[in-house]
Amino acid sequence: MPAQAKDVSDVLMRDGRENLREHIEANIIPLDEPRVPRIRFYSPSELRAYVPETDIALVGNCHVMRGETFLIGGEPGVGKSRGATSLAVAGATPDSTWFGLPVHRQFRTMIVQTENGRYRLQQEYSSLGCDELDDWIRVSEPPPFGLTLTHTEFQKDIRAALESFKPDCVILDPWNAAAKDDKQRDYSDTFDALRDLLPTGPDKPALGIVAHTRKPQANEKRTGGTGLMHILSGSYILTSVPRSIFVMVRGSDEETTDSVVWCNPKNSNGPQSERTAWHRRAGGFAPDTDFDWREFDKPPDKRVIVRLEHLEQVFETGDMELKAAAHAMATLTGINEGSAYNALAPNGKFKANLSRKGNLLSFHR
């Protein structure tokens, strides 16, 4: 027997007019029950008098809200999934922040992810205080048959999980696991399928999307501003549907650096937050208080990349103390001393060329 329809229009859309009488006679359509209107209209006075629910805003100045969609974008490997996890942890932690944005109350987060198996998830969550998080976070393992949003059994399973856990925020990671094609219709259908799965009314959660940005082009500006929205891979629908968009970019062209910059190019329900710099850490992110914004804002072809020959010049007179070496590196290359310390880090790109005894650095080929 088909699933119970909500109203006559449901049957017309799904099965056509010829099956309408059959559904009525079988009492599949409860004609005498009230239903939620498909569309509502309000006068200007009614709109002015509207008082939002007090618990609708979860994070920031309407950056993450119940019933609204937000997006976290970035290139592969930059830390998007870790950013989604840090949001879930922040929501579970009283009086916390997420990338500098205040968390207004504790909330439950469900992460539907398709990339990391339980081994990788064990590594990620081993550095977190899981006893304090168990009541607030749920994370899926990759579904064995993929993210089949329109499959009846998948819908039944995920709706049961949603009903049991009752999350305030649901995050899909990554978007391309659900949207198989970059065409407009596929993106629209995917958003419709996601909305159909989620609770409605006062139980409607925030919906977070984790999405990839496209490969950088030569001299492309990726340092901030609304233009960052347009580097997201795929249809423009990916930028038009979310009310709030965050984009994470690498803080340096040095592949080994743990520095990232967090940007907010769109916030339709409030002001955009300023860009901020962070260090990736095992348990999340820590503020980068000595970030070199001057170097970051340079065009790609003008940025300084510390090379082996720079180290040779700094250490040409022999071993040096770390502070003196960082100062010499900054003077030689024009980067700030915070970036110089990163270049000389024991686990940085030159770890095979530097050895440390106490505070003394030695350079060797």
Side-chain angles (χ1 to χ4, degrees):
M1 178 179 292
Q4 178 143 330
K6 294 179 181 178
D7 52 45
V8 172
S9 59
D10 277 336
V11 176
L12 288 173
M13 292 175 62
R14 190 184 65 195
D15 299 326
R17 186 175 298 276
E18 63 274 9
N19 292 325
L20 180 59
R21 180 176 296 280
E22 177 185 340
H23 283 77
I24 294 175
E25 292 175 351
N27 199 29
I28 294 175
I29 308 173
L31 295 177
D32 56 340
E33 292 186 10
R35 65 173 180 82
V36 177
R38 297 295 180 93
I39 187 169
R40 291 178 176 177
F41 295 90
Y42 299 91
S43 70
S45 297
E46 290 173 322
L47 294 175
R48 182 181 59 188
Y50 170 69
V51 179
E53 298 174 56
T54 57
D55 65 346
I56 195 172
L58 302 179
V59 179
N61 195 335
C62 300
H63 286 87
V64 179
M65 301 178 66
R66 289 182 62 100
E68 301 282 13
T69 302
F70 67 96
L71 183 145
I72 301 172
E75 65 180 86
V78 73
K80 301 184 300 298
S81 296
R82 193 178 306 187
T85 298
S86 68
L87 173 61
V89 172
T93 308
D95 301 319
S96 62
T97 61
W98 181 57
F99 287 105
L101 298 172
V103 175
H104 301 300
R105 65 174 180 87
Q106 282 186 286
F107 60 86
R108 293 180 297 277
T109 302
M110 177 178 283
I111 301 176
V112 182
Q113 64 91 37
T114 67
E115 294 188 333
N116 296 323
R118 293 181 70 180
Y119 175 79
R120 177 66 183 85
L121 292 172
Q122 187 275 335
Q123 293 178 311
E124 180 177 358
Y125 281 85
S126 63
S127 61
L128 301 174
C130 293
D131 291 342
E132 293 77 21
L133 303 177
D134 281 349
D135 292 337
W136 301 94
I137 300 175
R138 293 291 183 272
V139 185
S140 76
E141 64 179 347
F145 302 104
L147 209 59
T148 51
L149 298 179
T150 57
H151 193 282
T152 304
E153 292 180 353
F154 182 88
Q155 292 175 336
K156 180 179 178 181
D157 291 344
I158 200 165
R159 281 175 178 147
L162 289 164
E163 175 61 28
S164 172
F165 187 57
K166 299 188 184 306
D168 303 286
C169 178
V170 176
I171 298 175
L172 172 64
D173 181 13
W175 168 258
N176 61 3
K180 307 298 184 184
D181 199 335
D182 281 346
K183 292 184 169 34
Q184 175 179 336
R185 178 167 182 174
D186 188 56
Y187 275 43
S188 296
D189 289 346
T190 302
F191 271 117
D192 288 343
L194 286 170
R195 293 189 187 100
D196 187 53
L197 285 174
L198 298 178
T200 57
D203 294 327
K204 188 175 182 180
L207 173 61
I209 302 293
V210 177
H212 295 310
T213 52
R214 55 177 170 74
K215 186 177 179 180
Q217 299 177 3
N219 289 325
E220 184 174 46
K221 185 177 183 293
R222 293 193 171 202
T223 58
T226 57
L228 280 177
M229 290 190 296
H230 306 302
I231 66 174
L232 292 164
S233 297
S235 167
Y236 75 92
I237 290 177
L238 199 54
T239 61
S240 63
V241 171
R243 298 295 83 198
S244 181
I245 293 177
F246 303 98
V247 177
M248 183 185 294
V249 297
R250 296 188 185 277
S252 170
D253 292 329
E254 301 281 2
E255 294 183 0
T256 56
T257 184
D258 65 1
S259 179
V260 297
V261 173
W262 183 254
C263 304
N264 176 215
K266 178 181 179 181
N267 186 20
S268 298
N269 295 323
Q272 296 162 228
S273 61
E274 295 183 358
R275 60 182 186 172
T276 50
W278 303 83
H279 290 293
R280 288 193 301 267
R281 295 289 186 258
F285 296 84
D288 186 345
T289 57
D290 195 28
F291 186 73
D292 193 347
W293 290 107
R294 185 184 61 178
E295 184 68 22
F296 178 74
D297 285 328
K298 291 179 181 177
D301 59 346
K302 301 295 184 183
R303 295 175 189 168
V304 175
I305 297 179
V306 178
R307 306 186 188 281
L308 193 60
E309 51 265 33
H310 294 137
L311 260 71
E312 291 178 329
Q313 293 181 58
V314 167
F315 289 93
E316 62 183 356
T317 59
D319 298 349
M320 299 183 69
E321 290 190 352
L322 175 60
K323 183 177 181 179
H327 178 74
M329 179 67 73
T331 302
L332 174 65
T333 61
I335 61 176
N336 70 4
E337 293 198 7
S339 298
Y341 276 105
N342 289 335
L344 299 171
N347 294 319
K349 65 182 294 187
F350 299 112
K351 61 183 178 181
N353 305 103
L354 292 171
S355 57
R356 181 176 300 189
K357 184 177 293 187
N359 205 36
L360 196 66
L361 284 180
S362 300
F363 170 75
H364 47 84
R365 272 285 189 175

